[in-house]
C-alpha cells in the first residue's frame, strides 16, 4: 500500500516527525527559520494528500485549487485566520488546529508579559547592561503593582480562563468580556462579565485574548484607548490586527495610557523602525506565546496525528470544520 504524501511547511523536530514516517510519506521544508517559499508550497500542495501549515502560510483558494488531492490541512496553531475555512469546507478538505495543548503555556507568557511591562523588567535589565546603575533612589525604576488590581480580559476562551486563574492567585479582581457568558468561570474564579465599554473604562490591566474576526478587527482603536484609565496597561497576546497600532502609539506618547506589552503585531515580523519600539514603556516580544519546547512538540504531534487519522479514514481529533 502506498503511503499518503504529506508536506510540512516548516522544519519541525525530527524526533516528532520520525514517529509518523512509518505510515506517512513525509516531505518537510528544509529551513528552520524562514517560511516556506510560496511557489514551493503550491507545488507541494499539488502532489500531497495532507499539509501541515503555520500561521505564516496563506491557505487560500489558490492553494486549494492546486491541491486536488488534499484531504486535510493541519494548521499548527490555535488560530486559523490564515485559512480560508469556507472554501476548504466547500472543497471537502478537513481543517484542524491545535487548541488545548498550548493553553497553559500561552497563559504563562501572557501573565509574564503583563508582569514585565508593569514592573519595567526590560528597562531594568537594560539599565544594568548599559552600565547605568550608579545608585539607588526611592522611585528608581518604580513600576506598577499587579496584586489586588483589576484585570479585564477581552476574550474568555481557554487561554483567557487560564490567565484568570493566575490573576486570582494575585488577588486581582477579574472582569471579562466575551461573545457569551462563562458562568462556570464566574463561579470558579469570581470573574465578572462586563460590556467591552465598561471593562476598558474600569480595568487597570486590559488583556486582549480575543480571536481575530471581522467583528474584532481593530477593536482596540483610538476611541477605545481614550476610554481607558491613564494609569492602565494594555497587553495583547492574541492577534496584531485587533489593535490600531498608530492609535496605541499616540495614546502612549500623549499619556492616555501608561504602558503596553505586545507579543503580536499587525505585520509580522515587525519592522525594526516601528515607532512602538522607540518607547521605553512598551515591551515587545516576537510572537512567542506558545514557545516552550514541550508545548511546541505537543503541537507538532497533534498536527501530525490529525493528518494521519484523516488520511486513514478516522475522525480528526481537533476539527475546525465539517467538510462537504
Amino acid at each position: 500500500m502506498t503511503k499518503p504524501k504529506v508536506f510540512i511547511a516548516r522544519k519541525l523536530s525530527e524526533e516528532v516527525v520520525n514517529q509518523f514516517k512509518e505510515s506517512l510519506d513525509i516531505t518537510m521544508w528544509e529551513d528552520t527559520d524562514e517560511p516556506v517559499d510560496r511557489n514551493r508550497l503550491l507545488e507541494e500542495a499539488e502532489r500531497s494528500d495532507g499539509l501541515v501549515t503555520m500561521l505564516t502560510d496563506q491557505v487560500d483558494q489558490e492553494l486549494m485549487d492546486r491541491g486536488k488531492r488534499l484531504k486535510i490541512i493541519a494548521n499548527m496553531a490555535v488560530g486559523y485566520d490564515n485559512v480560508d475555512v469556507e472554501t476548504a469546507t466547500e472543497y471537502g478538505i478537513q481543517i484542524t488546529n491545535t487548541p488545548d495543548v498550548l493553553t497553559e503555556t500561552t497563559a504563562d507568557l501572557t501573565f509574564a508579559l503583563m508582569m514585565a511591562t508593569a514592573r519595567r523588567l526590560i528597562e531594568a535589565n537594560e539599565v544594568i547592561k548599559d552600565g547605568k546603575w550608579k545608585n539607588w533612589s526611592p522611585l528608581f525604576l518604580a513600576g506598577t503593582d499587579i496584586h489586588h488590581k483589576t484585570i479585564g480580559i477581552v476574550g474568555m476562551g481557554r487561554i483567557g480562563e487560564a490567565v484568570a486563574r493566575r490573576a486570582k492567585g494575585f488577588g486581582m479582581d477579574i472582569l471579562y468580556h466575551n461573545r457569551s457568558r462563562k458562568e462556570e468561570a464566574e463561579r470558579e474564579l469570581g470573574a465578572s462579565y462586563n460590556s467591552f465599554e465598561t471593562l476598558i473604562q474600569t480595568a487597570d490591566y486590559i488583556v486582549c485574548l480575543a480571536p481575530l474576526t471581522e467583528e474584532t478587527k481593530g477593536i482596540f482603536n483610538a476611541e477605545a484607548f481614550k476610554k481607558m484609565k491613564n494609569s492602565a496597561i494594555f497587553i495583547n497576546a492574541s492577534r496584531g490586527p485587533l489593535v490600531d497600532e498608530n492609535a496605541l502609539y499616540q495614546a502612549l506618547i500623549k499619556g492616555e495610557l501608561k504602558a503596553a506589552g505586545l507579543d503580536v503585531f499587525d505585520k509580522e515580523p515587525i519592522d525594526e523602525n516601528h515607532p512602538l519600539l522607540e518607547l521605553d514603556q512598551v515591551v515587545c516580544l516576537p510572537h512567542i506565546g506558545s514557545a516552550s519546547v514541550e508545548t511546541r512538540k505537543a503541537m507538532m504531534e497533534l498536527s501530525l496525528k490529525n493528518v494521519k487519522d484523516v488520511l486513514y479514514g478516522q475522525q480528526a481529533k481537533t476539527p475546525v470544520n465539517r467538510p462537504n
Side-chain angles (χ1 to χ4, degrees), residues 136-175:
W136 182 93
S137 63
L139 292 177
F140 177 57
L141 285 168
T144 303
D145 280 336
I146 296 160
H147 64 86
H148 299 97
K149 292 294 185 72
T150 298
I151 186 172
I153 301 171
V154 179
M156 197 66 154
R158 297 178 183 90
I159 298 169
E161 289 187 28
V163 169
R165 288 196 296 273
R166 286 153 178 76
K168 185 178 181 181
F170 279 70
M172 301 183 83
D173 290 328
I174 303 166
L175 312 181

Side-chain angles (χ1 to χ4, degrees), residues 77-138:
V78 172
Y80 42 88
D81 42 276
N82 60 311
V83 179
D84 184 344
V85 177
E86 185 177 343
T87 296
T89 303
E90 180 185 337
Y91 284 24
I93 300 171
Q94 178 71 70
I95 303 297
T96 63
N97 64 342
T98 57
D100 299 326
V101 294
L102 52 67
T103 296
E104 298 297 334
T105 300
T106 305
D108 281 350
L109 187 283
T110 303
F111 211 82
L113 179 57
M114 187 175 83
M115 295 179 72
T117 306
R119 294 301 304 273
R120 302 174 64 181
L121 299 188
I122 307 303
E123 284 182 81
N125 182 55
E126 292 302 318
V127 162
I128 290 180
K129 286 188 172 184
D130 293 342
K132 295 178 181 177
W133 185 24
K134 302 302 183 184
N135 50 44
W136 182 93
S137 63

Side-chain angles (χ1 to χ4, degrees), residues 23 74 80 185 288:
S23 51
Y80 42 88
I288 56 171

